[in-house]
Amino acid sequence: MQIRFLMTKMFRKIYQRSTFLRHHTRKICKGPENVKTLELSNGLRVVTERIESPLACVNLFARVGSRFENYDTNGLSHFIEHMAFKGFTSMNSEAVACQLNDLEAKITSMTTREFQVFSAVCPSRSAGDIVSLLTKIVTELGLSDQEMDCERNVIQHEMQNLDMNPREVMFDYLHETAFQGTPLANRVVGPSRNVNKFNRDCALYFMKNHYKPTRLLFTAAGDVSSDTIVDAASRHIGSSEYEAKAEDGPCRFTSSQVRFRDDSMPFAHISLAFEAPGYKSLDYLPLLVAKNHIGSWHKSQGGSHRHASDAVRAVATCNLCELLESFYIAHSDVGLWGVYFVVPNMNIENVIYIIQNMWMHLCFTITKNDVERAVNITKLELARRIEGVVNSAFDIGIQIMLKNERTPLTNMYQDLSRIDPKTIKAVAEASIYNKPLVTAAVGPTEELPDYNRLQAGQYWLRL
């Protein structure tokens, strides 16, 4: 009788739990059979991908970052990232380290302008326990004064290292001048004046208003059950009430130029960019193909006339610069598309002339062979984004966070196969030809042409 009573009690608990999940979750989109997307009644989303692997990757995404901060809170999301595993109200930092060691898990974190992610790689059997630990970041963060002072010093040292990296400085300047007057111009780490004044009350108030279930997302890839992740997440965050989902902060593109001249540096770090559609735009893939058509080159690769891109072939054979790299920084609703290069002062004008001629080639004379080669490179790039459980879980989170759906790789391959020279010319003419330019430069920039001269190179005089 006692065994029968215990068995009945156990099955009753299982039935109650399954009933709770059935009534408090709903499937919000369709996809491959191994991918399940669920949303709790309070807006918390959970996406899992079943992959045969001994390891699993579990990510907690939050819709926070410098774009959702103001003058006084800029840098606070990054500060909270540093405090994430420095202790919770229910356990100190030593206990957290011991639990991670017992679970055989490795934790990493990252904060960008539009999202924050805490990622854990662990054996598949530990995925549920990892979810429970990650939820403590948003529900039980300790924020002791001693740990905050310690991390404040760490962040100040990190800011000094960033300021010594001309590439990082240049791209921060690029955002500041391109989106000046809007939150998208904010640095992720924030200014030192804010880092020095952040305290426990400030952080708790920020987390209460920004780390809400509708702004959170769990993604998992590996040999894990969707029910395991949903059950662990709902136990800790499932009781919160539903609130309106976060909206993107305002953005406004401003054609402009910023230069930080420092003649003591051996090379100038320069970027030329345009306003481009965001991640969820239909033009995202064609612009990605255009970016890969231009390609990249580093001096260590050597000079050769066998490089496919005209711009890369010209700078390589003539030894004009140290590095040339096309980029496409895609935010949710806006982006920056352009070229970054590292060049001696005396060669700046020559390299810019080559780049602008390449852009005109994109607008008017690109060939079918050029497009096919760029499409194949883009397919490889997209395939690498989902290679393994770590990359796959991260890609799921990026797509859900920025465009609220996960597009299978096969669908993207089909879209890429339909791209032809006519498509690239139309997108390039809409985003590049005679469009406002933004420029950022750090280093010996004496030979950098005036902004009006740069803008004049963005069109051809044709009869």
Side-chain angles (χ1 to χ4, degrees):
M1 292 294 292
Q2 185 178 4
I3 294 176
R4 182 180 300 174
F5 173 76
L6 291 174
M7 293 293 290
T8 304
K9 187 176 181 181
M10 181 181 67
F11 282 119
R12 186 183 297 118
K13 287 184 177 179
I14 294 174
Y15 173 77
Q16 290 173 348
R17 197 67 204 162
S18 62
T19 303
F20 172 84
L21 293 177
R22 187 166 60 252
H23 289 290
H24 290 77
T25 62
R26 61 187 179 92
K27 195 168 184 179
I28 59 174
C29 69
K30 296 181 180 181
E33 293 182 358
N34 64 328
V35 178
K36 290 186 178 180
T37 304
L38 301 172
E39 182 177 319
L40 300 182
S41 58
N42 62 359
L44 174 66
R45 291 167 293 175
V46 179
V47 185
T48 59
E49 182 177 26
R50 200 69 178 262
I51 302 175
E52 291 186 7
S53 172
L55 296 178
C57 180
V58 181
N59 293 336
L60 171 60
F61 281 83
R63 195 80 161 103
V64 297
S66 57
R67 186 173 186 177
F68 305 98
E69 300 166 346
N70 55 36
Y71 180 84
D72 294 319
T73 60
N74 183 208
L76 191 48
S77 299
H78 178 256
F79 194 96
I80 291 172
E81 176 201 338
H82 276 257
M83 297 299 301
F85 297 100
K86 298 302 178 180
F88 307 122
T89 55
S90 59
M91 61 175 67
N92 56 28
S93 57
E94 290 78 9
V96 174
C98 289
Q99 183 172 359
L100 289 173
N101 186 59
D102 294 338
L103 296 174
E104 302 176 13
K106 177 183 178 181
I107 297 286
T108 57
S109 59
M110 178 179 67
T111 303
T112 70
R113 285 178 165 82
E114 291 194 300
F115 65 86
Q116 186 178 73
V117 57
F118 301 95
S119 179
V121 180
C122 63
S124 298
R125 65 179 182 276
S126 303
D129 295 326
I130 286 295
V131 172
S132 300
L133 185 64
L134 291 177
T135 57
K136 294 181 185 294
I137 297 174
V138 298
T139 59
E140 301 181 13
L141 199 58
L143 298 172
S144 67
D145 293 336
Q146 181 179 0
E147 291 289 356
M148 291 188 76
D149 290 338
C150 180
E151 289 306 308
R152 211 186 313 274
N153 294 330
V154 172
I155 293 174
Q156 293 285 6
H157 182 68
E158 180 182 341
M159 295 171 70
Q160 291 177 5
N161 290 336
L162 289 175
D163 289 341
M164 294 174 62
N165 186 335
R167 178 191 176 100
E168 295 293 335
V169 173
M170 188 277 305
F171 274 106
D172 279 337
Y173 279 156
L174 184 65
H175 274 82
E176 288 178 13
T177 189
F179 303 109
Q180 54 188 274
T182 70
L184 202 54
N186 294 336
R187 293 184 70 189
V188 173
V189 296
S192 57
R193 67 172 185 276
N194 285 356
V195 174
N196 291 330
K197 70 179 183 181
F198 288 150
N199 55 38
R200 174 184 170 83
D201 293 337
C202 177
L204 289 176
Y205 181 80
F206 183 85
M207 293 188 69
K208 179 181 178 182
N209 288 280
H210 290 79
Y211 288 78
K212 298 178 180 179
T214 51
R215 305 173 74 120
L216 301 179
L217 165 69
F218 274 103
T219 66
D223 190 14
V224 295
S225 169
S226 175
D227 293 340
T228 301
I229 307 300
V230 173
D231 180 67
S234 60
R235 281 202 308 268
H236 299 277
I237 309 180
S239 59
S240 305
E241 296 181 357
Y242 182 88
E243 296 186 23
K245 293 185 178 180
E247 296 182 358
D248 295 332
C251 67
R252 180 187 62 251
F253 181 83
T254 303
S255 57
S256 53
Q257 182 184 82
V258 58
R259 62 175 79 189
F260 179 79
R261 181 173 174 178
D262 183 356
D263 291 339
S264 65
M265 296 175 60
F267 303 105
H269 296 252
I270 304 172
S271 62
L272 309 175
F274 306 91
E275 181 183 18
Y279 193 84
K280 54 189 176 185
S281 170
L282 295 176
D283 290 336
Y284 173 75
L285 286 180
L287 282 172
L288 196 61
V289 172
K291 185 265 292 186
N292 286 325
H293 169 62
I294 295 177
S296 61
W297 176 81
H298 190 273
K299 194 173 184 179
S300 60
Q301 296 176 228
S304 172
H305 64 278
R306 293 185 175 89
H307 292 290
S309 167
D310 291 340
V312 169
R313 188 163 56 248
V315 298
T317 54
C318 299
N319 196 26
L320 293 178
C321 64
E322 301 292 307
L323 169 71
L324 186 143
E325 178 183 302
S326 58
F327 64 85
Y328 182 15
I329 304 173
H331 301 293
S332 59
D333 57 341
V334 70
L336 291 173
W337 188 98
V339 173
Y340 160 64
F341 55 100
V342 181
V343 60
N345 184 36
M346 60 183 178
N347 292 335
I348 291 178
E349 286 199 70
N350 291 332
V351 175
I352 290 177
Y353 175 79
I354 291 171
I355 291 172
Q356 291 187 316
N357 274 347
M358 188 66 187
W359 287 342
M360 295 302 101
H361 167 68
L362 274 176
C363 295
F364 301 111
T365 60
I366 189 169
T367 66
K368 182 179 180 180
N369 289 337
D370 293 335
V371 174
E372 288 179 353
R373 180 185 62 83
V375 165
N376 290 333
I377 295 174
T378 306
K379 287 181 177 180
L380 178 61
E381 178 182 337
L382 294 177
R384 285 176 173 171
R385 290 185 186 180
I386 62 171
E387 181 183 12
V389 294
V390 176
N391 292 335
S392 183
F394 183 78
D395 181 71
I396 291 172
I398 292 294
Q399 293 200 43
I400 298 295
M401 272 283 158
L402 298 186
K403 64 178 185 179
N404 207 31
E405 64 178 359
R406 205 282 173 94
T407 304
L409 183 63
T410 54
N411 291 9
M412 288 191 284
Y413 274 14
Q414 292 173 2
D415 293 338
L416 286 171
S417 299
R418 288 190 288 266
I419 294 177
D420 55 15
K422 184 178 180 180
T423 305
I424 299 298
K425 291 176 184 178
V427 172
E429 191 166 359
S431 299
I432 300 173
Y433 186 74
N434 202 22
K435 297 300 178 183
L437 186 69
V438 63
T439 308
V442 175
T445 60
E446 181 182 6
E447 297 298 323
L448 179 64
D450 177 76
Y451 178 82
N452 292 325
R453 282 188 58 194
L454 292 174
Q455 190 63 53
Q458 289 309 121
Y459 63 90
W460 277 348
L461 295 175
R462 297 172 294 165
L463 297 178

